[in-house]
Amino acid sequence: MFVDLLRLPDGRQAQYWQGGSEAGPVVFFLHGCPDTRHAAFAGDEAARSTGVRLISVNRPGYGWSDEAASTHGSVADDVAAVADLLGIERYAVLGMSIGGPYALACAVRQPGRVTAVGVVASPAILTELDPPIHRDDLSADKQEYFADFARRSVEDTIELARPEFEAYVESLAPGDPDDEALVRRFTERVSSLDAEVLARLTPGELAGSVREALINPNGYLRDAAITFRAWDFDPSQVSCATTFWYGELDANASVRNGEWFAASIPGARLVVREGAGHLGSLHDHWEEILGTLRG
């Protein structure tokens, strides 16, 4: 496995990781939130077995990637810039959760370079959904909270969401050097299905992932502000092979999201995993997913 920093053309620093097969076709992994390139580490063995070179770049404001006034389109451009710096011409993209829209934006912005798209457990465009929520377990107050995002500017939305998220981060205390205590606080707030997946990691691995994701709250806040509103690109313009994978029991992104995507993107394929939750939709199926994107 390999991790390093790159200097993007505009001078910003981007933190990335690559694993899998050194000489295989490339799949860029777009992580969820709050999350980082660490989410791709679990795919290293599957990437080796399928002959895929797996790369993940922290979005602006995550880990040691510099902050920026990012959009779906600008992140897609960052992926293309990293590909240029690494000497990669063509690549597939895989987006997990909130990383899904970024993966789709890559295909729209770089139709001549992106060979295939995979999206796992991602929210669709809320303003296009009926009802306009990405998950089916939200209270009326929470539904209104997300609906309010679409009515505000991105910067106003960031400040609206900041107090609640910073309180969440403070309650986790990611600076605590006790890995097991941090992991316990983190996992008690996720679903039992997701906790089962996270339990496969050592306390040090999971604690390291949580700390990197929460070094700076602004990565998450910007993700939320630009995801839960109209997007700056049209997913129906994706022209390469596209597959969506959703968990039947996923509370974070209901299957309705995948159904909307499948109806909106010509030729898209939707796979619903029986009995699967959010994280298991990816982590129980790395080899199949990478094999599909490898083509």
Side-chain angles (χ1 to χ4, degrees), residues 148-169:
D148 197 24
F149 283 15
R151 296 191 287 262
R152 296 172 177 260
S153 69
V154 170
E155 296 307 321
D156 282 350
T157 299
I158 288 172
E159 295 313 312
L160 173 69
R162 184 180 298 278
E164 181 178 345
F165 183 66
E166 290 187 344
Y168 164 73
V169 173

Side-chain angles (χ1 to χ4, degrees), residues 19-233:
S21 172
E22 293 183 6
V26 173
V27 174
F28 275 95
F29 177 79
L30 288 301
H31 61 78
C33 84
D35 211 342
T36 65
R37 64 201 168 93
H38 276 254
F41 294 6
D44 184 51
E45 183 177 345
R48 292 178 187 278
S49 67
T50 54
V52 164
R53 183 180 175 190
L54 184 62
I55 302 173
S56 186
V57 184
N58 282 354
R59 284 192 293 279
Y62 284 102
W64 299 110
S65 286
D66 290 334
E67 290 183 41
S70 57
T71 66
H72 289 117
S74 74
V75 169
D77 293 344
D78 286 349
V79 171
V82 170
D84 290 340
L85 291 168
L86 297 179
I88 298 164
E89 177 55 34
R90 289 166 63 78
Y91 49 90
V93 288
L94 171 61
M96 172 61 187
S97 191
I98 277 182
Y102 292 105
L104 294 166
C106 288
V108 172
R109 299 279 279 205
Q110 298 287 337
R113 299 183 74 175
V114 174
T115 58
V117 180
V119 171
V120 182
S122 172
I125 304 177
L126 264 61
T127 55
E128 302 290 332
L129 292 179
D130 183 21
I133 51 173
H134 60 297
R135 52 190 299 167
D136 297 331
D137 61 348
L138 295 178
S139 66
D141 286 347
K142 271 299 183 183
Q143 290 182 37
E144 176 56 26
Y145 176 76
F146 282 106
D148 197 24
F149 283 15
R151 296 191 287 262
R152 296 172 177 260
S153 69
V154 170
E155 296 307 321
D156 282 350
T157 299
I158 288 172
E159 295 313 312
L160 173 69
R162 184 180 298 278
E164 181 178 345
F165 183 66
E166 290 187 344
Y168 164 73
V169 173
E170 184 177 358
S171 70
L172 287 180
D176 183 354
D178 186 334
D179 291 345
E180 292 186 358
L182 174 57
V183 165
R184 185 168 56 252
R185 290 191 296 272
F186 181 75
T187 55
E188 70 184 7
R189 303 176 190 223
V190 304
S191 73
S192 59
L193 289 174
D194 287 350
E196 289 175 10
V197 174
L198 294 174
R200 302 170 194 169
L201 303 175
T202 67
E205 289 170 336
L206 182 52
S209 175
V210 172
R211 291 187 183 107
E212 184 168 296
L214 300 178
I215 286 173
N216 182 347
N218 291 326
Y220 168 88
L221 291 170
R222 186 145 203 108
D223 269 347
I226 69 174
T227 298
F228 300 117
R229 63 175 59 246
W231 298 346
D232 66 342
F233 72 99

